[in-house]
Amino acid sequence: MKKVLFGFCALVLAFSCQKKVANEPVAEELSDPGVTMRQCASHEVLQEQIAADPARRQRMQEIEQFTETAIRTGRLVNGQIVIPVVVNVVYNTTAQNLSAAQIQSQIDVLNEDFTNTNADATKTPAEFAGVQSSFGIRFELAAINRKYSNKRSWGTDDAVKRSSRGGIDPTSPTTHLNMWVCNLSNGLLGYAQFPGGSTATDGVVVLFSAFGSRNKAAGTYVANYNLGRTATHEVGHWMNLRHIWGDATCGNDFVGDTPQHNASNGGCPTYPHKSTCAGTPNEMTMNYMDYTYDACMYMFTEGQKSRALAVFASGGPRASFAQ
Protein backbone atom coordinates (compact mmCIF):
# COMPACT_ATOMS: atom_id res chain seq x y z
CA MET A 1 0.00 0.00 0.00
CA LYS A 2 1.19 3.53 -0.68
CA LYS A 3 0.72 6.50 1.62
CA VAL A 4 -1.48 8.97 -0.25
CA LEU A 5 0.14 12.39 -0.29
CA PHE A 6 -0.55 15.56 -2.30
CA GLY A 7 1.63 16.09 -5.34
CA PHE A 8 1.72 16.43 -9.11
CA CYS A 9 2.46 14.22 -12.10
CA ALA A 10 6.13 14.78 -12.96
CA LEU A 11 7.14 12.88 -16.06
CA VAL A 12 5.37 11.33 -19.02
CA LEU A 13 7.15 8.19 -20.14
CA ALA A 14 6.79 6.57 -23.55
CA PHE A 15 7.03 3.06 -24.90
CA SER A 16 7.27 1.27 -28.20
CA CYS A 17 4.23 -0.19 -29.94
CA GLN A 18 5.09 -2.95 -32.36
CA LYS A 19 3.00 -6.08 -31.81
CA LYS A 20 0.13 -6.65 -34.27
CA VAL A 21 -3.31 -7.61 -33.02
CA ALA A 22 -4.71 -10.72 -34.70
CA ASN A 23 -8.25 -11.66 -35.71
CA GLU A 24 -9.42 -8.30 -37.00
CA PRO A 25 -12.84 -8.97 -38.54
CA VAL A 26 -14.08 -5.58 -39.70
CA ALA A 27 -11.36 -2.97 -39.29
CA GLU A 28 -8.42 -1.73 -41.29
CA GLU A 29 -5.18 -1.41 -39.37
CA LEU A 30 -2.85 1.42 -40.27
CA SER A 31 0.36 0.13 -41.81
CA ASP A 32 2.17 3.42 -41.22
CA PRO A 33 0.23 5.07 -38.43
CA GLY A 34 2.91 7.52 -37.29
CA VAL A 35 2.54 6.21 -33.74
CA THR A 36 5.88 4.72 -32.79
CA MET A 37 5.76 5.65 -29.10
CA ARG A 38 2.77 5.72 -26.75
CA GLN A 39 2.37 9.20 -25.34
CA CYS A 40 -0.22 10.78 -23.05
CA ALA A 41 0.41 14.51 -22.79
CA SER A 42 -1.98 15.30 -19.93
CA HIS A 43 0.87 16.24 -17.59
CA GLU A 44 2.54 18.53 -20.11
CA VAL A 45 -0.75 20.28 -20.79
CA LEU A 46 -1.23 20.79 -17.05
CA GLN A 47 2.23 22.32 -16.73
CA GLU A 48 1.55 24.65 -19.64
CA GLN A 49 -1.69 25.74 -17.98
CA ILE A 50 0.12 26.41 -14.71
CA ALA A 51 2.78 28.45 -16.54
CA ALA A 52 0.07 30.53 -18.21
CA ASP A 53 -2.02 30.85 -15.04
CA PRO A 54 -0.09 30.43 -11.76
CA ALA A 55 -3.42 30.27 -9.87
CA ARG A 56 -3.96 26.88 -11.54
CA ARG A 57 -1.44 25.32 -9.15
CA GLN A 58 -3.34 26.63 -6.15
CA ARG A 59 -6.59 25.25 -7.56
CA MET A 60 -4.95 21.83 -7.99
CA GLN A 61 -3.84 21.92 -4.36
CA GLU A 62 -7.34 22.81 -3.25
CA ILE A 63 -8.80 19.97 -5.33
CA GLU A 64 -6.36 17.52 -3.76
CA GLN A 65 -7.29 18.71 -0.28
CA PHE A 66 -10.99 18.45 -1.12
CA THR A 67 -10.48 14.94 -2.55
CA GLU A 68 -8.69 13.73 0.55
CA THR A 69 -11.42 15.15 2.81
CA ALA A 70 -14.28 13.81 0.67
CA ILE A 71 -12.83 10.30 0.75
CA ARG A 72 -12.04 10.41 4.48
CA THR A 73 -15.48 11.72 5.46
CA GLY A 74 -17.48 9.63 2.99
CA ARG A 75 -18.79 12.61 1.01
CA LEU A 76 -18.84 10.66 -2.24
CA VAL A 77 -21.74 10.56 -4.67
CA ASN A 78 -24.25 7.78 -4.04
CA GLY A 79 -25.96 6.15 -7.00
CA GLN A 80 -25.14 6.31 -10.68
CA ILE A 81 -23.71 9.35 -12.42
CA VAL A 82 -24.80 9.79 -16.05
CA ILE A 83 -22.37 11.83 -18.14
CA PRO A 84 -23.59 13.24 -21.48
CA VAL A 85 -20.81 13.11 -24.06
CA VAL A 86 -20.32 15.46 -27.00
CA VAL A 87 -17.92 14.11 -29.64
CA ASN A 88 -16.28 16.79 -31.79
CA VAL A 89 -14.75 15.33 -34.94
CA VAL A 90 -12.25 17.60 -36.67
CA TYR A 91 -11.11 15.93 -39.87
CA ASN A 92 -8.90 16.48 -42.89
CA THR A 93 -9.44 13.15 -44.65
CA THR A 94 -12.32 10.72 -45.06
CA ALA A 95 -10.68 8.24 -42.69
CA GLN A 96 -10.52 10.88 -39.96
CA ASN A 97 -14.25 11.63 -40.28
CA LEU A 98 -15.32 8.72 -38.09
CA SER A 99 -18.61 6.95 -38.64
CA ALA A 100 -21.40 7.18 -36.10
CA ALA A 101 -20.91 3.47 -35.44
CA GLN A 102 -17.24 3.89 -34.55
CA ILE A 103 -18.09 6.81 -32.27
CA GLN A 104 -20.81 4.79 -30.54
CA SER A 105 -18.38 1.92 -30.09
CA GLN A 106 -16.21 4.22 -27.98
CA ILE A 107 -19.16 5.16 -25.77
CA ASP A 108 -19.88 1.44 -25.38
CA VAL A 109 -16.27 0.80 -24.32
CA LEU A 110 -16.40 3.59 -21.74
CA ASN A 111 -19.59 2.15 -20.29
CA GLU A 112 -18.05 -1.30 -20.05
CA ASP A 113 -14.74 -0.17 -18.59
CA PHE A 114 -16.19 2.19 -15.98
CA THR A 115 -18.73 -0.39 -14.79
CA ASN A 116 -16.34 -3.37 -14.83
CA THR A 117 -18.53 -5.20 -17.36
CA ASN A 118 -15.80 -5.44 -20.00
CA ALA A 119 -15.35 -9.02 -21.18
CA ASP A 120 -11.63 -9.05 -20.34
CA ALA A 121 -12.23 -8.04 -16.69
CA THR A 122 -12.11 -11.75 -15.90
CA LYS A 123 -8.40 -11.75 -16.72
CA THR A 124 -7.59 -9.81 -13.55
CA PRO A 125 -5.23 -11.85 -11.35
CA ALA A 126 -6.66 -13.14 -8.07
CA GLU A 127 -4.22 -10.90 -6.20
CA PHE A 128 -6.02 -7.81 -7.50
CA ALA A 129 -9.57 -9.14 -7.91
CA GLY A 130 -10.54 -7.97 -4.42
CA VAL A 131 -9.98 -4.32 -5.30
CA GLN A 132 -11.30 -4.44 -8.87
CA SER A 133 -14.02 -1.82 -9.16
CA SER A 134 -17.07 -0.52 -10.96
CA PHE A 135 -17.35 3.28 -10.78
CA GLY A 136 -21.11 3.28 -11.30
CA ILE A 137 -20.70 5.91 -14.02
CA ARG A 138 -22.61 5.74 -17.30
CA PHE A 139 -21.88 7.66 -20.49
CA GLU A 140 -24.51 8.72 -23.02
CA LEU A 141 -23.77 10.09 -26.47
CA ALA A 142 -25.48 13.49 -26.56
CA ALA A 143 -24.23 14.91 -29.88
CA ILE A 144 -21.70 14.54 -32.67
CA ASN A 145 -20.24 17.70 -34.18
CA ARG A 146 -18.17 17.54 -37.36
CA LYS A 147 -15.89 20.07 -39.01
CA TYR A 148 -13.56 19.83 -41.97
CA SER A 149 -10.17 21.45 -41.54
CA ASN A 150 -7.32 21.93 -44.00
CA LYS A 151 -4.98 21.46 -41.07
CA ARG A 152 -3.35 18.04 -41.30
CA SER A 153 -2.52 17.52 -37.63
CA TRP A 154 -3.01 19.03 -34.21
CA GLY A 155 -0.83 19.45 -31.13
CA THR A 156 -1.45 20.03 -27.43
CA ASP A 157 -2.08 23.79 -27.59
CA ASP A 158 -5.86 23.22 -27.49
CA ALA A 159 -6.34 24.78 -30.94
CA VAL A 160 -8.64 21.88 -31.83
CA LYS A 161 -10.97 23.10 -29.08
CA ARG A 162 -11.35 26.60 -30.56
CA SER A 163 -13.45 27.45 -33.61
CA SER A 164 -11.37 30.60 -34.07
CA ARG A 165 -8.36 28.37 -34.71
CA GLY A 166 -10.08 25.87 -36.97
CA GLY A 167 -11.40 23.52 -34.31
CA ILE A 168 -14.73 23.20 -32.51
CA ASP A 169 -15.70 25.06 -29.34
CA PRO A 170 -16.88 22.86 -26.45
CA THR A 171 -20.59 22.36 -25.88
CA SER A 172 -21.89 23.01 -22.34
CA PRO A 173 -18.61 21.88 -20.72
CA THR A 174 -19.91 22.20 -17.14
CA THR A 175 -22.52 19.51 -17.77
CA HIS A 176 -21.14 17.62 -20.82
CA LEU A 177 -17.89 15.74 -21.33
CA ASN A 178 -16.46 17.04 -24.59
CA MET A 179 -14.22 14.69 -26.56
CA TRP A 180 -12.28 15.93 -29.58
CA VAL A 181 -11.25 13.41 -32.22
CA CYS A 182 -8.57 14.48 -34.67
CA ASN A 183 -5.19 13.62 -36.16
CA LEU A 184 -2.69 14.33 -33.39
CA SER A 185 0.95 15.04 -34.23
CA ASN A 186 4.20 13.56 -32.95
CA GLY A 187 2.83 10.09 -32.24
CA LEU A 188 0.48 11.40 -29.55
CA LEU A 189 -2.50 9.20 -28.69
CA GLY A 190 -4.34 11.62 -26.47
CA TYR A 191 -4.44 14.09 -23.64
CA ALA A 192 -6.97 15.28 -21.07
CA GLN A 193 -7.56 18.34 -18.93
CA PHE A 194 -7.47 17.63 -15.22
CA PRO A 195 -10.23 19.16 -13.05
CA GLY A 196 -9.81 22.82 -12.18
CA GLY A 197 -8.93 24.17 -15.63
CA SER A 198 -10.79 26.56 -17.89
CA THR A 199 -14.20 25.40 -19.10
CA ALA A 200 -13.22 26.76 -22.54
CA THR A 201 -10.74 23.89 -22.93
CA ASP A 202 -12.21 21.22 -20.67
CA GLY A 203 -12.40 17.68 -21.99
CA VAL A 204 -10.40 14.96 -23.69
CA VAL A 205 -8.58 14.78 -27.04
CA VAL A 206 -7.97 11.41 -28.74
CA LEU A 207 -6.22 10.40 -31.94
CA PHE A 208 -8.87 9.48 -34.53
CA SER A 209 -7.41 6.01 -35.14
CA ALA A 210 -7.37 5.19 -31.41
CA PHE A 211 -11.01 6.18 -30.90
CA GLY A 212 -13.53 3.35 -30.71
CA SER A 213 -13.07 -0.40 -30.87
CA ARG A 214 -12.16 -2.48 -33.89
CA ASN A 215 -14.09 -5.35 -32.25
CA LYS A 216 -17.31 -3.34 -32.34
CA ALA A 217 -17.20 -1.16 -35.47
CA ALA A 218 -15.45 -0.89 -38.82
CA GLY A 219 -12.92 1.87 -39.23
CA THR A 220 -9.24 2.68 -39.56
CA TYR A 221 -7.36 1.88 -36.36
CA VAL A 222 -3.79 2.13 -35.16
CA ALA A 223 -2.13 -1.14 -34.13
CA ASN A 224 -2.21 -2.05 -30.45
CA TYR A 225 -4.39 0.90 -29.44
CA ASN A 226 -7.58 -0.11 -31.23
CA LEU A 227 -9.94 -1.22 -28.45
CA GLY A 228 -10.94 2.19 -27.09
CA ARG A 229 -8.70 2.16 -24.03
CA THR A 230 -6.96 5.43 -24.91
CA ALA A 231 -10.24 7.23 -24.19
CA THR A 232 -10.72 5.20 -20.99
CA HIS A 233 -7.24 6.26 -19.86
CA GLU A 234 -7.80 9.94 -20.74
CA VAL A 235 -11.26 10.09 -19.16
CA GLY A 236 -9.56 8.69 -16.05
CA HIS A 237 -7.31 11.78 -16.07
CA TRP A 238 -10.38 13.99 -16.60
CA MET A 239 -11.69 12.43 -13.36
CA ASN A 240 -8.41 13.32 -11.61
CA LEU A 241 -6.71 9.91 -11.80
CA ARG A 242 -2.94 9.95 -12.20
CA HIS A 243 -0.66 7.52 -13.99
CA ILE A 244 -0.26 4.43 -11.87
CA TRP A 245 3.53 4.84 -11.61
CA GLY A 246 3.13 8.39 -10.28
CA ASP A 247 5.14 9.84 -13.17
CA ALA A 248 8.35 9.17 -11.28
CA THR A 249 10.48 6.17 -10.36
CA CYS A 250 8.52 4.44 -7.61
CA GLY A 251 6.19 7.43 -7.63
CA ASN A 252 2.78 7.95 -6.04
CA ASP A 253 -0.59 8.04 -7.81
CA PHE A 254 -2.33 9.07 -4.54
CA VAL A 255 -4.34 5.84 -4.44
CA GLY A 256 -3.86 3.40 -1.59
CA ASP A 257 -4.70 0.09 -3.26
CA THR A 258 -2.46 0.29 -6.32
CA PRO A 259 1.10 -1.09 -5.99
CA GLN A 260 4.09 1.16 -6.52
CA HIS A 261 5.52 0.81 -10.01
CA ASN A 262 9.08 1.41 -11.08
CA ALA A 263 7.86 3.24 -14.16
CA SER A 264 5.30 2.91 -16.93
CA ASN A 265 4.82 -0.48 -18.57
CA GLY A 266 4.49 -0.98 -22.30
CA GLY A 267 3.37 -3.90 -24.38
CA CYS A 268 1.76 -6.85 -22.57
CA PRO A 269 3.83 -7.74 -19.49
CA THR A 270 3.50 -11.26 -18.14
CA TYR A 271 2.05 -11.50 -14.63
CA PRO A 272 3.59 -11.43 -12.09
CA HIS A 273 5.69 -8.42 -13.06
CA LYS A 274 7.79 -7.46 -10.05
CA SER A 275 8.56 -3.91 -8.96
CA THR A 276 11.87 -3.09 -7.31
CA CYS A 277 10.17 -0.40 -5.20
CA ALA A 278 9.75 -0.85 -1.43
CA GLY A 279 8.35 -4.28 -0.67
CA THR A 280 8.90 -5.45 -4.27
CA PRO A 281 5.17 -5.70 -5.04
CA ASN A 282 3.72 -7.19 -8.18
CA GLU A 283 2.87 -4.32 -10.51
CA MET A 284 -0.74 -3.82 -11.61
CA THR A 285 0.17 -3.64 -15.29
CA MET A 286 -3.42 -4.32 -16.35
CA ASN A 287 -4.67 -1.08 -14.78
CA TYR A 288 -6.14 1.45 -17.22
CA MET A 289 -3.78 4.13 -15.90
CA ASP A 290 -0.65 2.27 -16.98
CA TYR A 291 0.74 2.43 -20.54
CA THR A 292 0.18 -1.15 -21.72
CA TYR A 293 -1.50 -2.09 -24.99
CA ASP A 294 -5.28 -1.78 -25.14
CA ALA A 295 -5.73 -5.56 -25.02
CA CYS A 296 -3.66 -5.75 -21.83
CA MET A 297 -5.39 -3.15 -19.64
CA TYR A 298 -8.75 -4.04 -18.13
CA MET A 299 -9.30 -2.79 -14.58
CA PHE A 300 -9.68 0.12 -12.16
CA THR A 301 -9.48 -0.20 -8.37
CA GLU A 302 -11.73 0.78 -5.48
CA GLY A 303 -9.21 3.44 -4.49
CA GLN A 304 -9.28 4.93 -7.96
CA LYS A 305 -13.07 4.88 -7.84
CA SER A 306 -13.09 6.87 -4.59
CA ARG A 307 -10.65 9.40 -5.98
CA ALA A 308 -12.68 9.82 -9.18
CA LEU A 309 -16.05 10.08 -7.43
CA ALA A 310 -14.68 12.81 -5.16
CA VAL A 311 -14.61 15.26 -8.07
CA PHE A 312 -18.38 14.82 -8.49
CA ALA A 313 -19.17 15.33 -4.79
CA SER A 314 -21.00 18.45 -3.62
CA GLY A 315 -18.46 21.26 -3.72
CA GLY A 316 -16.14 19.26 -6.01
CA PRO A 317 -14.76 20.52 -9.32
CA ARG A 318 -17.21 18.44 -11.38
CA ALA A 319 -20.20 18.49 -9.02
CA SER A 320 -22.41 19.91 -11.80
CA PHE A 321 -22.28 16.51 -13.55
CA ALA A 322 -23.91 14.78 -10.58
CA GLN A 323 -26.84 17.18 -10.13
Side-chain angles (χ1 to χ4, degrees):
M1 297 293 182
K2 300 188 296 297
K3 185 178 179 181
V4 181
L5 299 172
F6 170 74
F8 295 101
C9 293
L11 299 172
V12 172
L13 303 178
F15 62 86
S16 300
C17 59
Q18 298 172 348
K19 182 180 176 182
K20 288 282 184 179
V21 179
N23 300 320
E24 181 176 283
V26 294
E28 176 187 353
E29 194 167 82
L30 292 175
S31 59
D32 183 19
V35 178
T36 57
M37 302 281 287
R38 174 120 192 198
Q39 298 183 59
C40 163
S42 299
H43 170 68
E44 283 85 351
V45 170
L46 176 60
Q47 296 308 307
E48 290 168 2
Q49 290 177 347
I50 289 172
D53 176 16
R56 179 77 160 102
R57 185 182 298 276
Q58 178 62 32
R59 290 196 297 274
M60 292 295 290
Q61 292 174 340
E62 292 170 353
I63 289 170
E64 287 299 328
Q65 292 165 358
F66 177 88
T67 297
E68 182 180 347
T69 300
I71 293 173
R72 186 178 68 251
T73 61
R75 291 172 55 193
L76 305 180
V77 176
N78 292 319
Q80 188 176 78
I81 300 170
V82 179
I83 298 179
V85 180
V86 177
V87 178
N88 303 298
V89 181
V90 184
Y91 65 96
N92 177 256
T93 68
T94 300
Q96 295 169 16
N97 190 16
L98 303 189
S99 69
Q102 187 170 347
I103 292 170
Q104 183 59 53
S105 77
Q106 182 62 74
I107 303 301
D108 294 342
V109 169
L110 291 174
N111 280 320
E112 292 169 358
D113 291 350
F114 281 88
T115 58
N116 195 36
T117 57
N118 48 300
D120 48 2
T122 58
K123 296 180 180 179
T124 300
E127 176 186 6
F128 302 134
V131 298
Q132 191 169 5
S133 180
S134 165
F135 282 22
I137 292 177
R138 184 162 56 88
F139 301 84
E140 291 184 349
L141 181 61
I144 301 173
N145 300 319
R146 301 178 185 274
K147 185 175 182 178
Y148 170 80
S149 173
N150 58 13
K151 189 170 182 176
R152 294 189 175 184
S153 64
W154 303 82
T156 59
D157 60 357
D158 286 335
V160 73
K161 304 175 183 179
R162 303 179 188 276
S163 60
S164 61
R165 301 181 65 183
I168 299 176
D169 292 334
T171 299
S172 305
T174 60
T175 57
H176 290 66
L177 166 58
N178 278 258
M179 305 183 78
W180 286 266
V181 182
C182 62
N183 187 32
L184 287 166
S185 59
N186 299 319
L188 186 65
L189 286 182
Y191 70 95
Q193 180 167 293
F194 284 98
S198 169
T199 57
T201 54
D202 196 37
V204 168
V205 182
V206 178
L207 177 70
F208 77 95
S209 53
F211 196 83
S213 171
R214 62 184 285 213
N215 289 346
K216 298 178 183 293
T220 302
Y221 296 93
V222 64
N224 303 312
Y225 310 104
N226 47 25
L227 299 178
R229 265 58 192 273
T230 294
T232 299
H233 178 102
E234 299 303 341
V235 171
H237 285 315
W238 182 80
M239 294 181 184
N240 206 30
L241 298 184
R242 304 306 179 98
H243 289 137
I244 196 169
W245 69 98
D247 293 285
T249 302
C250 298
N252 196 332
D253 64 352
F254 320 127
V255 175
D257 59 8
T258 56
Q260 279 194 310
H261 283 219
N262 290 92
S264 64
N265 288 292
C268 288
T270 300
Y271 174 85
H273 184 74
K274 285 285 186 183
S275 166
T276 61
C277 304
T280 61
N282 292 327
E283 295 187 343
M284 193 181 284
T285 63
M286 65 294 303
N287 193 281
Y288 292 120
M289 302 314 293
D290 204 343
Y291 263 4
T292 49
Y293 292 162
D294 277 17
C296 299
M297 52 169 60
Y298 35 81
M299 69 169 290
F300 284 119
T301 72
E302 284 292 312
Q304 288 173 318
K305 171 185 176 179
S306 294
R307 181 172 173 83
L309 291 185
V311 303
F312 300 106
S314 178
R318 301 203 186 282
S320 56
F321 284 84
Q323 294 176 354

